[in-house]
Amino acid sequence: MTALRKNREFTADKPRDTAARSPRLPRYTSYPTALQFGPLAGQDHVAWLRALPADEPVSLYFHIPFCDQLCWFCGCYTHIANQYDPVSRYLETLLAELALTSSLTGRKKVSHIHFGGGSPTILEAGDFERLMNAVREAYEILPEAEIAVEVDPRTLSREKVAAYGRSGVNRVSMGIQDFDDKVQKTINRIQTAGLIEDCLRWFRTAGIEDINFDLIYGLPNQTQETIRETVLQTVFYRPSRIALFGYAHVPWMKKHQAMISAETLPGQIQRQAMFDQARKTLVDCGYQAIGLDHFALPGDSLIEALDDGLLRRNFQGYTADKADTLIGFGASAISSLPGGYAQNSTDMRVYRQSIEAGESPVVRGVAVSPQDILVRQLISDLMCYQQVDPEARLRESGLSYDFTREFRALADLTRAGYMDRKDSMYRITEAGRPYLRAICSVFDNYLPANFEENPDILYRCLHESEG
């Protein structure tokens, strides 16, 4: 008996709060996901870099794992820098890693560069320009390349923004989270509307017009009314792109989150209501919903990629970047290569010593098989377009694969109203949109609980929101 047949109360109604929680589902920014990463030899990483196709562009990601102040909600890999010396020393290691990696890959074309963290804005203006100059010496940045920086408004300055403009930065993502004073105090991230307006003015003076706002729902002391006000204030500033992420409260993994009382967190039904209201408000204000949690104005490159069938999802979220290869630099950074995924050490000392020895800093990862690539494409179709044709993708792959288990689950989802089917194409319905990740997990061969062995798992997943 399959998951949905066993649970007779399964309907397409709103989710209910439940004491029995399913395992947290992956966000499917990769497949296999980071949950499947295991020990990986640096020699494998080196071999994968050397084997990159000579004529295909690549993307670069630089991780800056430092912040000026710790936000209680943060789930990122970062360190608090009370002085600049650790950041300066880290930059030297980052430059050495760039030289080491480019010696293995050769001078490749680059179509996309992303600076994440932590807070990349902690880099002083001169150091950011120095890093970008080193990138240009090592690689050929294409004229149409997108160069994006994640921004903490509290560590930004007019001088830094001017350096971004001189360095070719053409997109920034501002970490807004929430505009409500009470919520900001609770998460230890206070940034006034006046500060945001200063930053926006600096960006536009520097010629940086593509501006993203990152918002979070499900934060402590957040209500439907406060999230609505945050969305309306966001719309007033008219960023070209908005990401609306769900807060994940995991104090057993991120100990500083224990500073947030669980009693101040909205329940599951309230979280879903927040997301639904925010989504409706954004759409009503002219933004187009994209995938799981992104929204964009007409003319944004994400919408163009969506319309052209070129939308992708990677570790930074949804992207219009066409490169199949992403090379990560910095402690904890992950590379997505044709051979597999490779993650640098999260131990700063180990990372630095590896680079100083002229060795790969990779310690974890996973090789990908042809079957993994097939499943990755299926999950990507669902995450980006909310539809999937397993039989067509199978024919394209040239593989042999038995979808019996997956087709049973898809049939149950269709009967329940979460999907509909036309010929061999399955599409997620409006009722099924809140459960996108749960539906993607139908194809995940690595989940610890197989649907057939534990038929309750899909039902439980479907009755929890995306957050």
Side-chain angles (χ1 to χ4, degrees):
M1 186 178 295
T2 62
L4 310 189
R5 293 189 188 116
K6 181 179 179 181
N7 293 280
R8 294 184 180 179
E9 59 180 317
F10 182 89
T11 67
D13 295 334
K14 291 183 177 180
R16 54 183 173 83
D17 285 314
T18 174
R21 287 296 186 91
S22 62
R24 184 171 294 278
L25 290 167
R27 297 193 70 82
Y28 291 116
T29 52
S30 69
Y31 186 86
T33 71
L35 297 174
Q36 280 70 58
F37 287 10
L40 183 71
Q43 305 95 289
D44 292 334
H45 173 230
V46 168
W48 291 348
L49 287 173
R50 284 178 169 156
L52 290 176
D55 57 345
E56 294 183 8
V58 300
S59 294
L60 309 179
Y61 172 76
F62 292 89
H63 191 74
I64 313 298
F66 294 97
C67 291
D68 188 56
Q69 182 179 347
L70 187 62
C71 304
W72 301 147
F73 69 87
C74 182
C76 301
Y77 169 75
T78 190
H79 302 270
I80 302 306
N82 295 317
Q83 51 186 344
Y84 194 70
D85 284 349
V87 181
S88 182
R89 289 195 299 271
Y90 179 79
L91 176 63
E92 296 304 319
T93 307
L94 200 60
L95 290 167
E97 184 187 6
L98 176 61
L100 174 63
T101 302
S102 62
S103 72
L104 298 171
T105 63
R107 185 176 172 79
K108 294 201 167 299
K109 292 180 171 62
V110 172
S111 61
H112 188 276
I113 302 175
H114 191 101
F115 292 86
S119 300
T121 43
I122 204 168
L123 285 174
E124 292 180 352
D127 282 343
F128 184 87
E129 289 189 274
R130 183 181 171 206
L131 178 53
M132 278 301 302
N133 288 337
V135 173
R136 286 192 165 86
E137 291 178 7
Y139 295 107
E140 178 187 350
I141 302 178
L142 295 171
E144 68 275 16
E146 181 173 274
I147 304 176
V149 179
E150 295 176 11
V151 169
D152 181 345
R154 301 169 302 169
T155 57
L156 204 59
S157 68
R158 189 193 309 270
E159 181 185 14
K160 290 179 181 179
V161 174
Y164 298 162
R166 290 192 298 268
S167 299
V169 171
N170 48 26
R171 183 177 292 277
V172 292
S173 293
M174 296 186 69
I176 302 297
Q177 325 315 344
D178 193 291
F179 280 109
D180 184 79
D181 291 342
K182 185 176 182 180
V183 174
Q184 288 188 7
K185 290 176 183 177
T186 308
I187 63 176
N188 198 37
R189 188 184 178 102
I190 298 174
Q191 47 195 29
T192 65
L195 174 60
I196 302 305
E197 290 164 6
D198 285 343
C199 293
L200 292 173
R201 185 169 58 254
W202 296 337
F203 290 140
R204 285 165 180 147
T205 299
I208 302 172
E209 297 291 338
D210 289 329
I211 299 171
N212 305 354
F213 273 23
D214 293 339
L215 307 179
I216 299 180
Y217 68 94
L219 289 170
N221 292 320
Q222 206 174 50
T223 66
Q224 281 186 253
E225 181 57 31
T226 64
I227 192 70
R228 180 177 179 274
E229 290 302 314
T230 285
V231 170
L232 288 175
Q233 191 159 354
T234 294
V235 169
F236 172 78
Y237 293 125
R238 216 62 181 167
S240 59
R241 191 181 298 176
I242 297 166
L244 180 62
F245 300 122
Y247 168 59
H249 190 60
V250 288
W252 57 91
M253 295 174 59
K254 299 293 181 179
K255 296 188 183 302
H256 57 268
Q257 290 188 354
M259 300 296 294
I260 295 174
S261 170
E263 295 178 356
T264 65
L265 295 172
Q268 193 63 36
I269 291 176
Q270 289 74 27
R271 284 170 60 95
Q272 187 63 50
M274 288 178 185
F275 179 84
D276 290 343
Q277 178 174 274
R279 179 177 183 272
K280 182 180 186 303
T281 302
L282 288 170
V283 171
D284 288 346
C285 291
Y287 285 84
Q288 181 173 334
I290 296 176
L292 176 67
D293 46 25
H294 280 50
F295 302 82
L297 287 175
D300 187 87
S301 59
L302 274 190
I303 292 181
E304 294 174 358
L306 180 69
D307 292 342
D308 294 340
L310 300 174
L311 185 66
R312 296 189 179 198
R313 185 166 171 82
N314 62 18
F315 296 111
Q316 284 77 58
Y318 290 99
T319 179
D321 181 32
K322 300 180 180 67
D324 291 325
T325 295
L326 171 66
I327 304 175
F329 297 88
S332 83
I334 302 175
S335 296
S336 176
L337 308 169
Y341 298 101
Q343 182 174 21
N344 289 353
S345 175
T346 58
D347 185 314
M348 197 72 78
R349 180 180 58 85
V350 171
Y351 165 70
R352 183 180 64 253
Q353 289 177 347
S354 297
I355 297 300
E356 289 175 349
E359 299 173 351
S360 167
V362 162
V363 294
R364 299 175 68 243
V366 61
V368 296
S369 67
Q371 180 174 304
D372 289 332
I373 295 172
L374 168 63
V375 174
R376 178 196 296 170
Q377 184 62 66
L378 296 172
I379 290 176
S380 178
D381 288 342
L382 284 169
M383 292 297 292
C384 293
Y385 301 99
Q386 291 80 59
Q387 63 182 30
V388 65
D389 187 334
E391 295 176 0
R393 288 301 187 187
L394 183 60
R395 288 193 298 271
E396 291 173 5
S397 72
L399 299 176
S400 176
Y401 185 88
D402 183 2
F403 283 115
T404 299
R405 175 179 64 85
E406 291 86 347
F407 282 150
R408 285 191 189 129
L410 292 173
D412 284 340
L413 289 164
T414 300
R415 279 191 290 272
Y418 287 108
M419 302 190 81
D420 59 33
R421 178 185 177 185
K422 182 177 181 181
D423 299 325
S424 58
M425 176 71 77
Y426 293 83
R427 292 183 175 85
I428 297 176
T429 64
E430 190 63 28
R433 283 185 66 97
Y435 315 112
L436 177 55
R437 282 190 290 159
I439 294 171
C440 288
S441 69
V442 164
F443 293 98
D444 191 337
N445 291 313
Y446 295 96
L447 277 181
N450 182 279
F451 296 140
E452 294 298 317
E453 297 170 357
N454 186 353
D456 190 49
I457 186 71
L458 180 57
Y459 173 79
R460 286 161 54 196
C461 290
L462 284 166
H463 281 80
E464 295 186 16
S465 78
E466 287 302 334

